[in-house]
Amino acid sequence: MNKYLAATVEEINVAGKKIVTVKEMEIGVFYIGGQYYAWRNMCPHAGAPVCKGLINGTTLPTHVYEYEFGCEGQILRCPWHGWEFDLTDGRHLAADSKAKLRGYPTAVEEGLIYIMMA
Ligand code: FES
């Protein structure tokens, strides 16, 4: 496994995300709940630059006629068709969907964030 420098901790903690190019692939690095996540900037639906989407929350599963908002700051919405993904595990938030963002492990050393890749 090789490590590729993506950003400084300061950059990501201030901006919340950064899109970098590693091995000719765009990868979005996100800071969510004290952890760093790296996701390929390609939506599994139709290939949109998903990491450029808005980060927000979502409506949670509830009973009929109940509406509850949650996961604030953890949900990435694809800019093309609005699919929502959980930035902590890459899951597409739709019942029975098996779609997922492609992710890479990250490592933090001396204030620098690395993306780990083969
Ligand atoms: S390309 Fe992302 S939702 Fe369609």
Side-chain angles (χ1 to χ4, degrees), residues 68-108:
E68 188 179 344
F69 196 75
C71 299
E72 182 71 42
Q74 184 180 324
I75 306 301
L76 177 65
R77 185 182 307 266
C78 181
W80 283 7
H81 310 107
W83 283 23
E84 294 178 321
F85 298 91
D86 188 325
L87 282 167
T88 63
D89 60 13
R91 258 179 335 113
H92 173 219
L93 299 184
D96 301 325
S97 175
K98 296 201 180 340
K100 203 170 176 225
L101 298 175
R102 178 156 187 198
Y104 302 92
T106 60
V108 181

Side-chain angles (χ1 to χ4, degrees), residues 23-74:
K23 294 175 78 173
E24 300 181 18
M25 290 183 291
E26 284 193 347
I27 296 173
V29 181
F30 298 85
Y31 181 63
I32 310 290
Q35 298 285 322
Y36 297 96
Y37 299 92
W39 301 109
R40 186 148 182 212
N41 190 18
M42 182 180 287
C43 182
H45 177 220
V50 65
C51 296
K52 293 183 178 172
L54 294 176
I55 299 171
N56 208 327
T58 191
T59 49
L60 301 174
T62 58
H63 297 291
V64 177
Y65 303 122
E66 289 179 10
Y67 298 94
E68 188 179 344
F69 196 75
C71 299
E72 182 71 42
Q74 184 180 324

